[in-house]
Structure formats: C-alpha cells, structure tokens
Amino acid sequence: DMCACPASVADAKCEDASKVVDVLLLGPPVCCMKSQFETKLAYKGIPVDVSDMRYYVMNDGEAGLGTALSLMK
C-alpha cells in the first residue's frame, strides 16, 4: 500500500500504532525534514529517504516503489 500525502499527515500516520509503515519516502520539497523524521522514527526501525527528483517530477510511482523496496532490504 502506497500513500502520497503532506508531511504532517505522514507524521501522524507514522505515529498511529494501527497503521503499518514500512518505509517513508519524502518528496524533494521537504528534504530538509529528513533528519527530523529519521530521529522520530529510529525507535520503530522505519527507514527514511528522499525521493529522487526525477521520479518525483515525472510522478513515476513505479520507480518510487522500487526505491522504497530497496530501502526495506
């Protein structure tokens, strides 16, 4: 299940115990929040990264999924 949402919504979803979050990919416009999310989610072991600008601009969900899957390994 993939979800594209604002950072504030992602933050709430990651904190919600009923939601399963395997990986968090941030859009390039909020790349400055990466360390904040890494710190916040470290205890859950959720990997955090910033989506490649090319995938983001081209709205390439398949490439984004590939990135997310590689972070889960």
Side-chain angles (χ1 to χ4, degrees), residues 44-72:
K44 288 187 171 187
I46 298 173
V48 178
D49 205 353
V50 177
S51 180
D52 186 297
M53 179 64 86
R54 294 169 294 178
Y55 306 154
Y56 182 81
V57 172
M58 297 299 292
N59 199 22
D60 189 344
E62 189 172 324
L65 177 59
T67 300
L69 291 173
S70 71
L71 289 170
M72 292 169 47

Side-chain angles (χ1 to χ4, degrees), residues 6-17:
S8 60
V9 174
D11 188 36
K13 285 181 182 280
C14 289
E15 289 300 315
D16 185 345

